[in-house]
Structures are given as structure tokens and as C-alpha cells.
Amino acid sequence: MVSDTIRITILYDNTGSDSRMVADFGFSCLVAAHGKTILFDTGAKADILVKNMAAMGVDPSSIDIVMISHDHWDHNGGMSLVAGGRAPIYVPDSFATKLPGLTKISDSCKISDGIYSTGELAGIEQSLVVQLGEEVVVVAGCAHSGVREILAAARELGRVAVLVGGLHGFDELELLADLDIVCPTHCTRKIAEIALRYPGKYVAGGAGAVITWKGGTTM
């Protein structure tokens, strides 16, 4: 089912935006788009991920697709929650952690209608790209591969309108000028600078934050 709306719920982050949520170092979010529910990354600890899912009313059995950005403990620590389940799990080709049912991705590819992986970039990390008409929404784990490289890969599918996720030491802030929304989370070192430079684009992250995007507007 192709839709024109995406809803991103941050389930795991260093900070919390909802008092019901447990903040912890790591990242995970739930992406609802095109009739699919995608769990992107699983944070550092399965028990915290479970608690935060429950707080947001998320049933783990509702997850259709799991995508892990890269093989670091703060992004794959909760994988025991979904390993061996019905949802396919897509990991980058360099992923070394041994778990059942993993599908490794090397090149950019379609996961489902309107849902794509950038492919493994810089030999370490993949990002999620969701196509909404002529625009795309990008979700990154830590952006170890570089924000410039992630945006370039995503632009193969459309104009990048929204960027959500960890951006690590990214400091080429001019690259965000053409985006409509940026929500820097987790490991991003320059959150304050991004918020100051782009007050009209910046959306605060934190566990419990929800971003809904429809064809050029946040809701």
C-alpha cells in the first residue's frame, strides 16, 4: 500500500522527550510508511527497548521489517527482541554479529514498495530511505559513512526533504540548507549548532519524539 505520509517514533535515544520513556545511549526508531512498520536499529539494551515500546503502545509482533544500520552495540543491542521472528532483518554486508535470519545488503536496493536501503556505504553502514512522491525521508544510525555520502545516495530516489538520526561529528552544516526538516539524535555532536542555524528546520529528538511528514509538511 503506497501512501504519502510517514510517521517516525523515536524509541531509543540518549535523551527523552516523554517522561514515560527511558533514556539511554543508543538509537532506535519505528517508521510507519506505505503500509509497513519498520524497526530501524534496536538501541543498546533489549529490556529498555521493550519498556519504551510498551510506553508508546508498540506491539513487537506488529513489526514487518527490521533494518540495522551498522554492527555497533548501541544499535544492535536489542536484536534479541526480533531475531528469529517473522520480520526479515536487513543488515549491512560487513555485519559480523551472528544471529538467525539476517539478510546482508551491499548495494542500494528496494526493500518494499517505497522503502529502500542506501546500501552499505564506506564499508560500515546503511541508511533507510523512504520515498514519498518526488521527495524522500532519510533515517541514519550514526552517519559513520558521512552525511554528504548518505544524502547523495538518497538523492538517487528523490529530493531529500527530511533527515532523522545520529550524525556523529558532522559539521558541514551547509548541506542541510535544502532540507525541510532535520532531527539530529543520539551521537550528533552539533545538535545545538544545527538548532541555532536552522530554527525553522530543526526538530528535537529524544525517546518518545514523534515526527509525521506528509508531502512537504510536518504534522
Side-chain angles (χ1 to χ4, degrees), residues 87-116:
I89 303 174
Y90 297 93
V91 301
D93 192 57
S94 62
F95 201 85
T97 299
K98 303 298 183 183
L99 285 171
L102 303 184
T103 298
K104 291 193 172 185
I105 291 178
S106 56
D107 299 321
S108 59
C109 65
K110 178 180 177 179
I111 302 297
S112 184
D113 287 343
I115 299 166
Y116 299 84

Side-chain angles (χ1 to χ4, degrees), residues 62-149:
S62 70
I63 296 168
D64 299 303
I65 297 166
V66 178
M67 181 180 285
I68 305 297
S69 61
H70 61 298
D71 198 9
H72 286 178
W73 62 272
D74 49 333
H75 295 261
N76 67 12
M79 283 184 68
S80 60
L81 180 64
V82 292
R86 72 173 186 86
I89 303 174
Y90 297 93
V91 301
D93 192 57
S94 62
F95 201 85
T97 299
K98 303 298 183 183
L99 285 171
L102 303 184
T103 298
K104 291 193 172 185
I105 291 178
S106 56
D107 299 321
S108 59
C109 65
K110 178 180 177 179
I111 302 297
S112 184
D113 287 343
I115 299 166
Y116 299 84
S117 166
T118 59
E120 183 180 73
L121 302 177
I124 185 172
E125 185 171 352
Q126 65 175 336
S127 295
L128 171 66
V129 182
V130 178
Q131 195 174 44
L132 299 172
E134 296 181 355
E135 297 177 334
V136 297
V137 173
V138 179
V139 183
C142 271
H144 289 295
S145 53
V147 171
R148 179 183 292 275
E149 290 72 17

